[in-house]
Amino acid sequence: MQIIKNIKDLKKTLEKIKNSNKIIGFVPTMGCIHEGHLSLIDISKQNSDITIASIFVNKAQFAAHEDLESYPREQESDLKKFESRNVDITYIPEDNSIYPEGFSTSISLGDIALVSEGKLRPQFFNGIALIMTKLFMIIQPNLSVFGEKDFQQLFIVRKLVRELNIPVKILNGPTIREVNGLAMASRNTYLSEEELKIAPFLYKSLVEAKNCLLKNDNIGDVLARTKKELLNNGFKSLDYLEIRDSNFKLINKASINNSHILISATLGKTRLLDNIRIE
Ligand code: AMP
């Protein structure tokens, strides 16, 4: 596995690969690699000749009060994990090569960046759109793989490449979970032993809500019940609990089939995200 830190070296390597007409798959990450990330690597490997993974904690998507400084960084073990899954190139850009002094360009996604997760983190998706556009321009991959775990992010990346005519195919991979149902996430490392016992209840409550909705229980009642149960079971707050269709439109009454229940709840100091498809 090649580890590349600067754009010039990456461009040189990519030129050779592109000249040989190889298909390039790209998996962007913020590191602290777990099986969820590695499952996306596997999907990239199945669909391309060369797989590039990146590790970059993107400051543009963090607000001043958020955890940019303390975000888990585990570079050495991340590289071992990538190597074990046969990643061909890991790109670890230096911060000032992505955002050099004087950098001022921004991307505004409009309203979609301000609902659900964006309501709590108004800068988040515009920051993701910026880094994804930059990484797509630098690497120019044929395809790129994203996790369904971050359902709104996946929707937004698809919208971004469509609306900016970025020639990359977006593939998605299912959410990888611990045996107890907890969706794997880098921020799970923030959870205490006690909180780790409570955390799986988030997914359990989603499954329960889905089953009730499929039995045609009233949506309002189901959402209220789910909220109450989460709070009763040790979660500090429910940040949002919504049902959205494949166009990310909020659903209240109409057909719920093929839509997603999206949830975010806070456990101690950690906010957990999850979602489930209703089918
Ligand atoms: P992150 O490092 O958190 O920015 O995530 C990088 C990519 O991994 C994104 O496409 C995420 O959606 C995806 N991802 C994170 N957790 C999981 C998971 N548990 N299962 C599948 N994909 C995931």
Side-chain angles (χ1 to χ4, degrees):
M1 182 175 79
Q2 240 181 304
I3 299 162
I4 301 183
K5 297 195 172 173
N6 89 40
I7 296 184
K8 246 193 203 161
D9 292 345
L10 183 67
K11 286 272 175 208
K12 241 191 246 160
T13 303
L14 287 173
E15 210 175 284
K16 279 187 217 142
I17 296 169
K18 282 180 182 151
N19 284 342
S20 58
N21 280 331
K22 293 211 162 110
I23 294 175
I24 297 176
F26 172 45
V27 180
T29 81
M30 296 211 301
C32 194
I33 297 307
H34 50 68
E35 240 353 272
H37 298 115
L38 297 176
S39 70
L40 306 182
I41 299 287
D42 294 344
I43 294 173
S44 172
K45 298 231 31 125
Q46 284 153 20
N47 289 280
S48 57
D49 303 311
I50 296 286
T51 287
I52 303 179
S54 67
I55 300 174
F56 184 66
V57 182
N58 173 39
K59 66 177 181 189
Q61 70 194 61
F62 287 78
H65 65 279
E66 291 177 348
D67 58 344
L68 174 65
E69 292 308 321
S70 58
Y71 192 84
R73 288 164 171 90
E74 309 268 349
Q75 212 180 96
E76 215 171 295
S77 66
D78 287 353
L79 291 173
K80 279 192 191 134
K81 288 174 193 166
F82 279 161
E83 194 140 34
S84 76
R85 293 297 249 268
N86 300 317
V87 169
D88 298 288
I89 299 170
T90 298
Y91 177 42
I92 313 177
E94 274 146 11
D95 211 55
N96 62 4
S97 70
I98 297 293
Y99 300 121
E101 222 183 293
F103 186 95
S104 64
T105 302
S106 59
I107 292 182
S108 173
L109 294 157
D111 292 346
I112 184 75
L114 300 174
V115 297
S116 302
E117 189 63 17
K119 214 171 183 175
L120 301 159
R121 306 182 73 188
Q123 78 302 324
F124 181 59
F125 289 112
N126 290 332
I128 287 179
L130 185 61
I131 188 62
M132 286 325 309
T133 304
K134 288 206 59 141
L135 292 173
F136 287 151
M137 300 309 272
I138 293 167
I139 297 171
Q140 303 188 9
N142 301 85
L143 60 93
S144 187
V145 196
F146 290 80
E148 290 162 19
K149 155 85 171 33
D150 300 288
F151 183 72
Q152 189 173 7
Q153 170 175 279
L154 174 62
F155 181 85
I156 281 177
V157 169
R158 285 217 160 97
K159 188 172 180 339
L160 175 79
V161 302
R162 190 171 62 242
E163 294 186 355
L164 294 187
N165 304 94
I166 302 175
V168 58
K169 188 173 168 190
I170 303 300
L171 304 183
N172 49 291
T175 302
I176 304 300
R177 302 179 179 281
E178 306 286 356
V179 183
N180 61 20
L182 175 65
M184 291 188 185
S186 304
R187 286 190 175 95
N188 289 353
T189 55
Y190 295 159
L191 298 171
S192 68
E193 225 168 276
E194 203 48 47
E195 289 164 349
L196 276 169
K197 286 182 198 148
I198 301 169
F201 193 77
L202 190 72
Y203 180 60
K204 219 171 132 210
S205 74
L206 277 182
V207 174
E208 214 169 287
K210 174 185 112 166
N211 290 337
C212 292
L213 290 169
L214 286 173
K215 278 192 287 174
N216 284 328
D217 283 7
N218 176 280
I219 290 183
D221 292 347
V222 172
L223 297 184
R225 213 159 51 222
T226 307
K227 175 176 179 171
K228 201 169 144 202
E229 280 171 17
L230 278 168
L231 297 179
N232 284 343
N233 278 277
F235 280 82
K236 194 168 97 186
S237 62
L238 182 76
D239 300 304
Y240 56 85
L241 174 60
E242 300 173 342
I243 305 174
R244 297 214 170 242
D245 69 11
S246 53
N247 294 314
F248 218 73
K249 287 244 158 61
L250 209 50
I251 290 189
N252 294 314
K253 287 195 193 78
S255 158
I256 49 167
N257 252 325
N258 295 327
S259 54
H260 280 76
I261 312 175
L262 312 185
I263 197 165
S264 168
T266 301
L267 182 54
K269 288 184 179 153
T270 309
R271 212 154 55 73
L272 302 179
L273 263 71
D274 207 342
N275 70 83
I276 194 169
R277 186 180 165 93
I278 306 175
E279 56 186 354

